[in-house]
Amino acid sequence: MGKSKKRKLPAAYQPVGWLLGWSGGALAGLAFRKVWMAIRHEEDAPDALDPDRKWGEILLAAAVQGAIFATVRSAVDRAGAKAIARKTGVWPAAGRGGRD
């Protein structure tokens, strides 16, 4: 593939990446709610500004939420990039090889 296609693909991938990111965020939010229910048997996770919650609860919720969001985001980004590479033969991240 020529260099012009490599330059255009990351810009063309941006809307796809945005859509994947949005849907991945929604999926991660659902997963976090399910995990929090399993851990604490509560529907709502503590908010950092909730005066009735202790530090441990707030930090546990933040750590679990962060881990879930990072994992889902990486999985969604990777799956999207691999799909684009399979379809076009070009890795969507500019300047990266992608041999997976």
Side-chain angles (χ1 to χ4, degrees):
M1 307 247 159
K3 285 192 175 248
S4 62
K5 184 155 187 153
K6 285 187 179 182
R7 283 194 194 118
K8 289 181 183 177
L9 188 59
Y13 179 71
Q14 285 178 352
V16 173
W18 182 87
L19 182 62
L20 289 173
W22 182 85
S23 58
L27 179 66
L30 289 172
F32 173 67
R33 283 192 284 283
K34 295 274 187 193
V35 168
W36 190 253
M37 278 289 287
I39 292 173
R40 299 291 298 208
H41 308 291
E42 300 174 348
E43 282 192 33
D44 295 325
D47 182 77
L49 300 178
D50 188 344
D52 299 326
R53 300 294 187 125
K54 297 185 174 162
W55 275 96
E57 291 177 287
I58 291 168
L59 296 179
L60 174 64
V64 170
Q65 186 177 31
I68 290 171
F69 271 80
T71 301
V72 170
R73 180 179 177 187
S74 293
V76 168
D77 284 349
R78 186 65 177 191
K82 291 203 47 106
I84 292 292
R86 267 194 308 273
K87 287 272 191 197
T88 66
V90 178
W91 193 253
R96 298 189 182 153
R99 293 185 195 131
D100 195 69

